[in-house]
Amino acid sequence: WDLARGLDYYTGMIFEVFIPEFIGGSVGGGGRYYNLINDLTGTSVPAVGMAFGFDRTVEAADQLNLLPSQQSTSQVLVTIFDDSTRQFSLETTSKLRQAGVNSEVYPTSDKLGKQFKLASQKNIPYVIIIGKDEVDQNLITLKNLSTGQQQTLDLDQAIEKIKTN
């Protein structure tokens, strides 16, 4: 292989780091640049350095199926319908965790479709929907993503249902 690095401060050896099975090029490179530090500071210091390309390394790991799947250990995702329901959603998530149910809350109020999509992508089996009606009645709506079935329950009933399935 013949290598040529595009930076003119290299003064000797240069190198590239390749992953043989990855077709996207090098994932790192570097070389000897004895004059660079002198040019920058006026002090002559011999040096060798290298850098890895994070994006290319992740791309290679993905292409070679080395990245773990994005499965979540959460059993339920709690939605945030809007700002008026946020506190109830956070309190519900806290109570779920205290009851031993692995749960996460969607990070912001957003369209319910996006919240369901995230739960589906992470293989979270249940979504708890909390809208204004649920807050007013102190209830939650539990949706089973694999069956599509949903029902409005009090939180203790939902916890029991999640734990038994």
Side-chain angles (χ1 to χ4, degrees):
W1 287 0
D2 290 329
L3 294 177
R5 305 240 353 124
L7 302 173
D8 63 353
Y9 55 73
Y10 289 112
T11 56
M13 155 194 81
I14 60 169
F15 50 87
E16 298 278 330
V17 178
F18 290 93
I19 300 172
E21 298 85 8
F22 177 57
I23 60 171
S26 68
V27 295
R32 180 185 300 169
Y33 45 93
Y34 283 2
N35 297 329
L36 179 63
I37 296 174
N38 187 41
D39 291 347
L40 296 172
T41 67
T43 304
S44 182
V45 178
V48 174
M50 68 177 297
F52 286 95
F54 180 77
D55 289 344
R56 281 234 183 129
T57 303
V58 170
E59 184 181 339
D62 185 40
Q63 185 182 87
L64 299 172
N65 296 316
L66 299 173
L67 297 176
S69 68
Q70 287 190 317
Q71 289 194 353
S72 173
T73 58
S74 293
Q75 297 166 278
V76 63
L77 173 77
V78 179
T79 63
I80 296 184
F81 194 75
D82 59 27
D83 288 340
S84 69
T85 64
R86 179 183 318 278
Q87 188 61 39
F88 193 85
S89 293
L90 294 172
E91 290 168 3
T92 299
T93 305
S94 179
K95 290 175 185 173
L96 287 163
R97 290 174 180 164
Q98 288 170 3
V101 176
N102 289 343
S103 56
E104 59 187 85
V105 65
Y106 197 82
T108 185
S109 58
D110 207 340
K111 294 178 182 175
L112 284 179
K114 282 187 175 182
Q115 297 184 58
F116 285 126
K117 184 177 179 182
L118 177 68
S120 187
Q121 287 173 338
K122 292 177 128 187
N123 292 321
I124 299 173
Y126 291 99
V127 173
I128 289 182
I129 305 160
I130 298 174
K132 185 174 178 349
D133 292 341
E134 285 83 2
V135 172
D136 290 345
Q137 298 171 34
N138 198 30
L139 298 171
I140 58 95
T141 298
L142 180 66
K143 180 167 185 157
N144 181 323
L145 290 184
S146 62
T147 66
Q149 188 177 42
Q150 71 181 41
Q151 56 191 141
T152 301
L153 311 159
D154 69 37
L155 186 57
D156 290 334
Q157 291 171 316
I159 289 170
E160 188 61 36
K161 197 167 209 39
I162 293 165
K163 283 184 166 186
T164 58
N165 288 331

